[in-house]
Amino acid sequence: MLFGIGLIAFVDETVFHQILHWHHFYDLASTDVGLASDGLFHALSWFATIAGLFLLADLRRRDALVWSRWIGGVLLGAGAFQLYDGIVQHKLWGIHQIRYVDDIIVYDVIWNVTALAMIGLGVVLLAAGRASRIRRRSR
């Protein structure tokens, strides 16, 4: 899950903050503060990504890696972070929006439905990986 959080935060930062310039992590102050908040957000996303890769390496070292569970965890973490971002940061705290346009609901729906799809697929893959592991143990 940690890798998924870091990965989706990296994609968010790269695509929506840097390439498209739709928003900053913190848009309630000056552009300089927004850019500084983007830098901190980017650094934290990389720390999460690297930490997740260390956990992957440890699973491989212990011969405990089940790819469906790993990918399921990545999707679950990415979806959970995106849903948190869409609900808490965008709507409850209002520190930024996906894009500053008049018809924001389209962006909100796509953002949150995508998050829910990642969560759902992640849960399915985690369950499939667990069932696969249980079948292997019973042999």
Side-chain angles (χ1 to χ4, degrees):
M1 286 182 64
L2 187 61
F3 180 78
I5 292 168
L7 181 64
I8 201 69
F10 170 77
V11 169
D12 179 17
E13 167 65 26
T14 302
V15 174
F16 298 104
H17 298 220
Q18 295 176 12
I19 295 172
L20 296 175
H21 299 276
W22 282 4
H23 64 264
H24 297 293
F25 180 75
Y26 186 76
D27 275 340
L28 300 179
S30 68
T31 302
D32 288 341
V33 171
L35 287 172
S37 70
D38 284 347
L40 292 171
F41 177 55
H42 199 60
L44 289 173
S45 73
W46 269 115
F47 286 132
T49 304
I50 301 290
L53 289 175
F54 273 101
L55 293 172
L56 173 63
D58 184 56
L59 285 171
R60 291 193 68 180
R61 180 187 60 78
R62 292 185 290 123
D63 197 30
L65 179 62
V66 177
W67 279 108
S68 60
R69 291 188 74 185
W70 170 260
I71 294 168
V74 168
L75 287 170
L76 184 59
F81 177 81
Q82 187 164 320
L83 191 61
Y84 158 79
D85 184 40
I87 293 173
V88 175
Q89 292 182 357
H90 296 177
K91 298 304 167 204
L92 296 177
W93 294 346
I95 62 174
H96 66 264
Q97 294 298 321
I98 298 167
R99 188 171 188 192
Y100 293 96
V101 295
D102 291 333
D103 197 14
I104 190 69
I105 190 71
V106 173
Y107 292 92
D108 288 336
V109 167
I110 292 169
W111 190 265
N112 292 325
V113 166
T114 302
L116 290 170
M118 284 190 286
I119 290 169
L121 185 55
V123 167
V124 166
L125 288 172
L126 282 169
R130 180 178 172 90
S132 170
R133 191 168 182 112
I134 290 170
R135 281 193 303 272
R136 274 191 262 151
R137 281 187 190 162
S138 65
R139 290 183 191 169

